[in-house]
Amino acid sequence: MNHERAAICFTGVFNTGTRKEVEAIAAKLGATPRKDPSKSIHYVVIGSQVQVSPDWKHTSFGRKIQKAIELRESGHPLIILKEQEWVRFT
């Protein structure tokens, strides 16, 4: 993962820290944390503690994941990572 100038969005609950803490780690590595997925985002990281239920799309993390999938399907080169994958790059 190229952290330099990469825009990254975190969603869900993380084992490695609070949202602010994981955003601070990303910023320290040179990435720019963003609140929501958009065409300016390079990575979306999904926290390990995301619980999948029938209503997942209606939660805030579910909407972010859905938006990331839509962006990727429309041709935006967005990478969606699980927290465990992201941790290996930090």
Side-chain angles (χ1 to χ4, degrees):
M1 173 188 291
N2 181 5
H3 298 297
E4 188 82 21
R5 300 193 179 174
I8 189 167
C9 175
F10 294 93
T11 190
V13 179
F14 295 85
N15 288 326
T16 52
T18 66
R19 177 80 44 85
K20 285 186 179 188
E21 289 170 338
V22 295
E23 288 176 347
I25 292 167
K28 195 178 231 184
L29 293 170
T32 303
R34 303 272 190 211
K35 184 177 178 176
D36 296 304
S38 68
K39 288 186 178 182
S40 67
I41 296 289
H42 300 97
Y43 301 96
V44 172
V45 180
I46 302 170
S48 297
Q49 296 184 36
V50 169
Q51 300 289 327
V52 178
S53 74
D55 298 323
W56 77 273
K57 287 185 181 178
H58 305 291
T59 62
S60 62
F61 74 83
R63 288 189 299 271
K64 287 181 181 181
I65 295 167
Q66 184 65 36
K67 178 66 175 176
I69 292 168
E70 289 170 2
L71 285 165
R72 193 171 62 186
E73 288 177 348
S74 71
H76 180 62
L78 176 76
I79 297 171
I80 301 172
L81 300 168
K82 295 178 186 176
E83 179 181 10
Q84 300 92 322
E85 295 169 310
W86 180 73
V87 167
R88 286 190 297 215
F89 294 111
T90 60

